[in-house]
Short mmCIF file of all heavy atoms in Angstrom, two decimals:
data_model
loop_
_atom_site.label_atom_id
_atom_site.label_comp_id
_atom_site.label_asym_id
_atom_site.label_seq_id
_atom_site.Cartn_x
_atom_site.Cartn_y
_atom_site.Cartn_z
N LEU X 1 167.89 130.93 38.19
CA LEU X 1 167.05 130.52 39.32
C LEU X 1 165.83 129.74 38.83
O LEU X 1 165.51 128.67 39.37
CB LEU X 1 166.61 131.76 40.11
CG LEU X 1 165.71 131.49 41.33
CD1 LEU X 1 166.46 130.62 42.34
CD2 LEU X 1 165.27 132.81 41.96
N LEU X 2 165.16 130.28 37.81
CA LEU X 2 163.99 129.57 37.27
C LEU X 2 164.40 128.24 36.65
O LEU X 2 163.65 127.25 36.74
CB LEU X 2 163.30 130.45 36.23
CG LEU X 2 162.30 131.47 36.74
CD1 LEU X 2 161.78 132.33 35.62
CD2 LEU X 2 161.13 130.76 37.45
N LEU X 3 165.56 128.20 36.02
CA LEU X 3 166.02 126.95 35.41
C LEU X 3 166.28 125.88 36.47
O LEU X 3 165.98 124.70 36.28
CB LEU X 3 167.29 127.23 34.60
CG LEU X 3 167.66 126.17 33.54
CD1 LEU X 3 166.55 126.05 32.51
CD2 LEU X 3 168.97 126.54 32.88
N ALA X 4 166.84 126.30 37.61
CA ALA X 4 167.09 125.35 38.70
C ALA X 4 165.78 124.82 39.27
O ALA X 4 165.63 123.61 39.53
CB ALA X 4 167.92 126.02 39.79
N VAL X 5 164.80 125.72 39.48
CA VAL X 5 163.50 125.30 40.00
C VAL X 5 162.79 124.39 39.01
O VAL X 5 162.17 123.39 39.37
CB VAL X 5 162.63 126.52 40.34
CG1 VAL X 5 161.24 126.08 40.78
CG2 VAL X 5 163.30 127.36 41.42
N SER X 6 162.90 124.73 37.71
CA SER X 6 162.27 123.89 36.69
C SER X 6 162.89 122.50 36.64
O SER X 6 162.22 121.51 36.31
CB SER X 6 162.37 124.55 35.31
OG SER X 6 163.73 124.65 34.90
N GLY X 7 164.18 122.39 37.00
CA GLY X 7 164.83 121.07 37.06
C GLY X 7 164.20 120.20 38.13
O GLY X 7 163.97 119.00 37.92
N ILE X 8 163.90 120.81 39.30
CA ILE X 8 163.24 120.07 40.38
C ILE X 8 161.84 119.64 39.94
O ILE X 8 161.42 118.50 40.14
CB ILE X 8 163.19 120.92 41.65
CG1 ILE X 8 164.61 121.26 42.14
CG2 ILE X 8 162.40 120.20 42.74
CD1 ILE X 8 164.64 122.23 43.29
N PHE X 9 161.13 120.58 39.30
CA PHE X 9 159.78 120.25 38.83
C PHE X 9 159.82 119.16 37.76
O PHE X 9 158.91 118.34 37.66
CB PHE X 9 159.11 121.52 38.29
CG PHE X 9 158.41 122.32 39.35
CD1 PHE X 9 159.10 122.79 40.45
CD2 PHE X 9 157.06 122.60 39.26
CE1 PHE X 9 158.47 123.53 41.44
CE2 PHE X 9 156.40 123.34 40.24
CZ PHE X 9 157.12 123.81 41.33
N THR X 10 160.87 119.17 36.94
CA THR X 10 161.01 118.14 35.90
C THR X 10 161.14 116.76 36.52
O THR X 10 160.51 115.78 36.07
CB THR X 10 162.22 118.43 35.01
OG1 THR X 10 162.06 119.71 34.40
CG2 THR X 10 162.38 117.37 33.94
N ILE X 11 161.96 116.67 37.57
CA ILE X 11 162.15 115.38 38.26
C ILE X 11 160.82 114.89 38.83
O ILE X 11 160.45 113.72 38.69
CB ILE X 11 163.21 115.51 39.36
CG1 ILE X 11 164.58 115.83 38.75
CG2 ILE X 11 163.28 114.24 40.20
CD1 ILE X 11 165.66 116.15 39.76
N ILE X 12 160.09 115.81 39.48
CA ILE X 12 158.79 115.44 40.05
C ILE X 12 157.82 115.02 38.96
O ILE X 12 157.08 114.03 39.08
CB ILE X 12 158.21 116.60 40.88
CG1 ILE X 12 159.14 116.92 42.05
CG2 ILE X 12 156.82 116.27 41.37
CD1 ILE X 12 158.74 118.15 42.84
N SER X 13 157.81 115.75 37.83
CA SER X 13 156.89 115.43 36.73
C SER X 13 157.21 114.07 36.12
O SER X 13 156.30 113.27 35.87
CB SER X 13 156.97 116.52 35.65
OG SER X 13 156.63 117.78 36.17
N VAL X 14 158.48 113.81 35.89
CA VAL X 14 158.88 112.52 35.30
C VAL X 14 158.52 111.38 36.23
O VAL X 14 158.00 110.34 35.80
CB VAL X 14 160.39 112.52 34.98
CG1 VAL X 14 160.85 111.13 34.58
CG2 VAL X 14 160.69 113.52 33.86
N TRP X 15 158.79 111.56 37.52
CA TRP X 15 158.41 110.52 38.50
C TRP X 15 156.91 110.27 38.48
O TRP X 15 156.45 109.13 38.49
CB TRP X 15 158.85 110.94 39.89
CG TRP X 15 158.34 110.02 40.97
CD1 TRP X 15 158.86 108.82 41.35
CD2 TRP X 15 157.17 110.23 41.76
NE1 TRP X 15 158.10 108.26 42.35
CE2 TRP X 15 157.05 109.10 42.63
CE3 TRP X 15 156.23 111.23 41.86
CZ2 TRP X 15 156.02 108.98 43.54
CZ3 TRP X 15 155.21 111.11 42.77
CH2 TRP X 15 155.09 110.01 43.60
N GLY X 16 156.11 111.35 38.45
CA GLY X 16 154.67 111.20 38.42
C GLY X 16 154.17 110.51 37.17
O GLY X 16 153.27 109.66 37.23
N ILE X 17 154.77 110.86 36.03
CA ILE X 17 154.36 110.22 34.77
C ILE X 17 154.66 108.73 34.80
O ILE X 17 153.84 107.90 34.39
CB ILE X 17 155.08 110.90 33.58
CG1 ILE X 17 154.52 112.31 33.40
CG2 ILE X 17 154.89 110.09 32.31
CD1 ILE X 17 155.31 113.16 32.40
N PHE X 18 155.83 108.34 35.32
CA PHE X 18 156.18 106.92 35.41
C PHE X 18 155.28 106.18 36.40
O PHE X 18 155.07 104.98 36.27
CB PHE X 18 157.65 106.74 35.79
CG PHE X 18 158.58 106.80 34.61
CD1 PHE X 18 159.27 107.97 34.31
CD2 PHE X 18 158.76 105.70 33.79
CE1 PHE X 18 160.11 108.04 33.22
CE2 PHE X 18 159.60 105.75 32.70
CZ PHE X 18 160.28 106.92 32.40
N GLU X 19 154.77 106.90 37.40
CA GLU X 19 153.83 106.28 38.33
C GLU X 19 152.46 106.09 37.69
O GLU X 19 151.73 105.17 38.05
CB GLU X 19 153.70 107.15 39.59
CG GLU X 19 154.87 107.06 40.53
CD GLU X 19 154.99 105.69 41.18
OE1 GLU X 19 153.97 105.16 41.64
OE2 GLU X 19 156.11 105.15 41.20
N LEU X 20 152.11 106.95 36.74
CA LEU X 20 150.80 106.85 36.09
C LEU X 20 150.78 105.81 34.97
O LEU X 20 149.72 105.32 34.60
CB LEU X 20 150.41 108.22 35.51
CG LEU X 20 149.99 109.30 36.51
CD1 LEU X 20 149.79 110.62 35.79
CD2 LEU X 20 148.70 108.89 37.24
N ILE X 21 151.94 105.50 34.39
CA ILE X 21 151.98 104.60 33.24
C ILE X 21 151.50 103.19 33.56
O ILE X 21 150.67 102.63 32.84
CB ILE X 21 153.41 104.57 32.65
CG1 ILE X 21 153.70 105.90 31.94
CG2 ILE X 21 153.57 103.41 31.66
CD1 ILE X 21 155.11 106.03 31.43
N PRO X 22 151.96 102.52 34.64
CA PRO X 22 151.50 101.14 34.90
C PRO X 22 150.01 101.08 35.20
O PRO X 22 149.41 102.04 35.70
CB PRO X 22 152.33 100.72 36.13
CG PRO X 22 153.46 101.69 36.21
CD PRO X 22 152.96 102.96 35.64
N ASP X 23 149.42 99.94 34.88
CA ASP X 23 148.01 99.69 35.19
C ASP X 23 147.90 99.02 36.56
O ASP X 23 148.66 98.09 36.87
CB ASP X 23 147.37 98.79 34.14
CG ASP X 23 147.31 99.47 32.77
OD1 ASP X 23 147.11 100.69 32.75
OD2 ASP X 23 147.47 98.78 31.75
N TYR X 24 146.95 99.51 37.36
CA TYR X 24 146.71 98.94 38.69
C TYR X 24 145.25 98.52 38.80
O TYR X 24 144.39 98.96 38.02
CB TYR X 24 147.06 99.94 39.79
CG TYR X 24 148.53 100.21 39.93
CD1 TYR X 24 149.15 101.22 39.20
CD2 TYR X 24 149.31 99.45 40.80
CE1 TYR X 24 150.51 101.47 39.32
CE2 TYR X 24 150.67 99.69 40.93
CZ TYR X 24 151.26 100.70 40.19
OH TYR X 24 152.60 100.93 40.32
N GLY X 25 144.97 97.67 39.76
CA GLY X 25 143.61 97.21 39.97
C GLY X 25 143.43 96.66 41.37
O GLY X 25 144.39 96.54 42.15
N ILE X 26 142.19 96.32 41.69
CA ILE X 26 141.86 95.70 42.97
C ILE X 26 141.54 94.23 42.70
O ILE X 26 140.63 93.91 41.94
CB ILE X 26 140.66 96.38 43.64
CG1 ILE X 26 140.98 97.86 43.91
CG2 ILE X 26 140.31 95.69 44.95
CD1 ILE X 26 142.13 98.11 44.84
N PHE X 27 142.32 93.35 43.32
CA PHE X 27 142.14 91.91 43.16
C PHE X 27 141.04 91.44 44.10
O PHE X 27 141.07 91.69 45.30
CB PHE X 27 143.46 91.20 43.46
CG PHE X 27 143.38 89.71 43.39
CD1 PHE X 27 142.73 89.07 42.35
CD2 PHE X 27 143.98 88.93 44.37
CE1 PHE X 27 142.66 87.69 42.29
CE2 PHE X 27 143.92 87.56 44.32
CZ PHE X 27 143.26 86.94 43.27
N CYS X 28 140.04 90.74 43.53
CA CYS X 28 138.88 90.30 44.31
C CYS X 28 139.14 89.03 45.11
O CYS X 28 138.25 88.58 45.84
CB CYS X 28 137.68 90.07 43.38
SG CYS X 28 137.15 91.55 42.53
N GLY X 29 140.32 88.45 44.97
CA GLY X 29 140.62 87.21 45.67
C GLY X 29 140.26 86.00 44.84
O GLY X 29 139.50 86.07 43.89
N GLY X 30 140.84 84.86 45.18
CA GLY X 30 140.58 83.63 44.46
C GLY X 30 141.87 82.99 43.99
O GLY X 30 142.93 83.16 44.59
#
C-alpha cells in the first residue's frame, strides 16, 4: 500500500522538479 502511494507521490515530485528546472521571467515589452 505504501509503495503504491509512494509511486503516485513520485510522479508528482518528478513533474514538480521538471516544472522548476526551466528559467522563467517577466518580459517588459519592446
Side-chain angles (χ1 to χ4, degrees):
L1 180 62
L2 275 175
L3 199 61
V5 176
S6 64
I8 299 173
F9 274 57
T10 301
I11 295 172
I12 298 174
S13 301
V14 171
W15 172 82
I17 290 170
F18 275 99
E19 285 293 314
L20 287 173
I21 289 175
D23 295 325
Y24 290 89
I26 300 298
F27 177 45
C28 298

